[in-house]
Amino acid sequence: MRSDAVHQVLEAELADVRRRRGGQPPRVLDVGGGSGVWAVPLASAGCAVTVVDPSPNALATLQRRAVDAGVADRITPLQGDTDALAALSPDDGADLVLAHGVLEVVDDVAAAVSALAAATAPGGALSVLVANRYAAVLGRALAGRVTDALQLMQDVDGRLDAASDTLLRRFDTEGLEQVLTAGGLRVELVQGQAVLSDLVPGSVLDNNPRAADEMAELERLAAVRSPMRDIATRLHAIARA
């Protein structure tokens, strides 16, 4: 797994799970993770991963990646969405539930959060990663797309018009905390992912290991410091029931 702030938090969480379970493989439920971006590395790290995704094509990609990585026996792919989690989740819940890129696209955020909370084992963690409204505003403004930036700022859901926006909503830090708290969860952490790296030209980091290392350290520090955190491309929360 990579070394950014999100991966570091999840690695620490999984280490804690292993201690609690006496070294047994952590049970991970990856909701909406069909193509295996998170599931395959987690399985390679020794986790037992159940992936729930509505797309059969994404699940087929996951299975190919899992076979290529030699971890197909550690991944269970299941077709479904948040409405079906009660039937598809591991018995007694998962030690770590991932909902990365999920809350932006579900029809009912409150129902999805309740289903995710119910799928989390006692003492386990829910990891939520969402698109940040203010990063979208900043990115479009810097690109000269001022009309889009204004619409994203003014729209109640941080969304462009339905014909041009693939997301139903974007979040800010306060809004993310509110939806998780309303679902009966205790929010332990909200941090940013890609606070500055998505704004820095690739030429700055190419062929310059020192600059790349310094950017990684800058990202690590900025991830948890407001207001830097609050303009990150994505917001990451860890919550527990």
Side-chain angles (χ1 to χ4, degrees):
M1 296 179 70
R2 300 200 308 264
S3 59
D4 67 24
V6 175
H7 287 81
Q8 289 175 0
V9 167
L10 296 185
E11 287 170 355
E13 180 66 31
L14 292 171
D16 187 58
V17 170
R18 289 186 176 92
R19 286 192 293 270
R20 295 200 312 266
R21 289 174 55 81
Q24 294 189 25
R27 301 162 299 176
V28 177
L29 174 64
D30 185 0
V31 181
S35 62
V37 171
W38 291 87
V40 170
L42 285 166
S44 297
C47 299
V49 186
T50 299
V51 178
V52 176
D53 195 283
S55 169
N57 291 335
L59 292 173
T61 299
L62 163 66
Q63 289 180 300
R64 289 195 296 271
R65 286 182 172 176
V67 169
D68 290 344
V71 295
D73 59 328
R74 298 178 190 165
I75 297 178
T76 303
L78 299 173
Q79 188 173 358
D81 54 25
T82 54
D83 294 336
L85 284 186
L88 300 177
S89 302
D91 293 340
D92 302 322
D95 302 304
L96 176 62
V97 176
L98 305 185
H100 293 177
V102 171
L103 296 187
E104 304 99 312
V105 298
V106 295
D107 292 328
D108 188 331
V109 173
V113 170
S114 294
L116 292 164
T120 307
L126 169 62
S127 172
V128 176
L129 193 64
V130 297
N132 183 0
R133 172 206 293 265
Y134 296 130
V137 171
L138 180 60
R140 283 162 176 81
L142 291 174
R145 297 167 57 186
V146 179
T147 299
D148 286 351
L150 182 61
Q151 184 173 347
L152 287 166
M153 180 69 81
Q154 293 177 328
D155 185 79
V156 65
D157 291 318
R159 190 188 189 207
L160 298 172
D161 61 90
S164 62
D165 202 333
T166 59
L167 302 183
L168 296 180
R169 64 192 64 82
R170 291 174 178 83
F171 293 84
D172 55 32
T173 302
E174 182 180 2
L176 178 57
E177 291 179 330
Q178 285 177 348
V179 298
L180 295 176
T181 301
L185 294 161
R186 183 180 78 257
V187 179
E188 289 189 350
L189 171 72
V190 177
Q191 63 177 354
Q193 185 186 48
V195 179
L196 296 168
S197 56
D198 284 355
L199 300 174
V200 175
S203 57
V204 173
L205 306 179
D206 290 345
N207 302 316
N208 189 341
R210 180 177 178 181
D213 290 343
E214 289 175 341
M215 176 56 69
E217 178 64 9
L218 181 59
E219 282 285 345
R220 187 186 68 80
L221 295 173
V224 293
R225 296 189 186 183
S226 182
M228 301 301 296
R229 169 199 66 185
D230 304 319
I231 63 167
T233 301
R234 290 166 293 277
L235 296 172
H236 177 237
I238 292 289
R240 301 183 196 275

